[in-house]
Amino acid sequence: MMSRGDDPQPQALAKPTFSDVQASALVESVFGLKVSKIQPLPSYDDQNFHVCISSTKDTADGPTEYVLKISNTESSKTPELIEVQNHVSMFLRAAGFPTASVHPTTGGNLTSLVAVDGGSGVASYLVRLLSYLPGRPIAEIPSSPQLLYEIGRLAGKLDETLQTFHHPKLSSLRRENFIWNLKNVPLLEKYLDALGQSRNREIVVEVIQLFKDEILTKLSHFRECINHGDLNDHNILVESSTSASGDTSYRVSGILDFGDMGYGYYVFEVAITIMYMMVESKRPVHVGGHVLAGFESVIPLTPVERGALFLLVCGRFCQSLVIAAYSCQLHPENKDYLMITAKTGWKHLQHMFDLGQKAVEEIWFETARSYDSGVSL
């Protein structure tokens, strides 16, 4: 959703600016599909289009809706990373997850590097075409305990399944200085001026210090895995169904955006998921227990990992909120989009901090324990 990279600034300045007509021409020339309708989709540092294609006898068996993804110039310089992301999405789809398939180019490749003169010289962009996934972002619906549990379980299943993923360029996922890797919370120090002098800044400074003391010293005790890294409330799609008694239930219909994928730890995935599920919740502090119970139904955390969860959730709040504030200074015209999390995020972070680790853990762990007895709180 926001700027991605070792430093947000170059990424933010490198967003593609293709028109609908240019994007249509790309779909037809690179992928050999005839476009019947195209419209932009929200994005920050890449450019996405929802594409409908005209059915022909050659395409009758395939999807008729796609997402054209045009990577920013910085990401386009690391094609091996995008190649791994493509293969992960296809690997998970084959394993039964609702992830996108990747439509090959006319030359049989999964991506194509296109050079375009944007008026200030030629720039190269990686383009790919993904199947369009149905559903509504989970941000748009009220999240029940059962759905939160299912999201936690999904996060656990995802990490568990990726244990068996292999690719010759897998090492590209070791993104040591990637600003969105959860272990890099201390890198936020160089963006603190975006917060001015405020209570928010004081909390972030305190979280960073605690993170250095309590998390970085324990990393060797966490179990490593490949993380999706961004299971936020806009990257998980759901579809509803109504039972005979009139009750509405939701199932996950899409997992989007593997752009933040990298090596991390199981506890990182559950912490990131908890934080984003809190954003729109009416009872944010209670979210964590349901997500944790779902995750631990697949991968139980160790006591050390559990003990780190509170600070990791606070750390992810800080990453999201500080980078949003910094990016808003660079691009005030994108403020509404960038500040989606900030609308409630600062309030949630302050509330967690005021309650304190012991009180929050008590709520989370008691809720998670209630699932063992079959009575969810």
Side-chain angles (χ1 to χ4, degrees), residues 249-355:
S249 62
Y250 294 91
R251 65 171 191 85
V252 175
S253 59
I255 305 168
L256 308 178
D257 195 356
F258 287 82
D260 283 1
M261 198 174 64
Y263 274 98
Y265 305 90
Y266 291 124
V267 69
F268 280 15
E269 195 82 275
V270 68
I272 290 167
T273 308
I274 287 172
M275 179 252 139
Y276 284 119
M277 292 305 111
M278 287 175 69
V279 171
E280 299 288 344
S281 176
K282 298 281 191 289
R283 301 179 74 208
V285 175
H286 291 265
V287 162
H290 302 293
V291 175
L292 177 62
F295 192 89
E296 288 198 314
S297 72
V298 183
I299 301 168
L301 297 184
T302 65
V304 177
E305 289 166 339
R306 268 189 160 214
L309 205 49
F310 174 84
L311 267 180
L312 288 170
V313 173
C314 290
R316 184 51 165 213
F317 265 119
C318 290
Q319 284 180 312
S320 181
L321 295 165
V322 172
I323 296 302
Y326 175 75
S327 299
C328 274
Q329 288 188 334
L330 291 177
H331 293 277
E333 74 280 2
N334 267 346
K335 185 174 181 181
D336 288 348
Y337 185 69
L338 284 167
M339 300 305 276
I340 288 172
T341 301
K343 283 175 186 166
T344 57
W346 285 115
K347 184 177 68 180
H348 294 343
L349 176 59
Q350 282 194 20
H351 183 49
M352 271 183 75
F353 224 63
D354 291 344
L355 282 172

Side-chain angles (χ1 to χ4, degrees), residues 180-186 211 267-268 271-272 312 315-316 319:
W180 291 98
N181 189 318
L182 192 43
K183 74 177 178 187
N184 288 332
V185 165
F211 203 93
V267 69
F268 280 15
I272 290 167
L312 288 170
R316 184 51 165 213
Q319 284 180 312

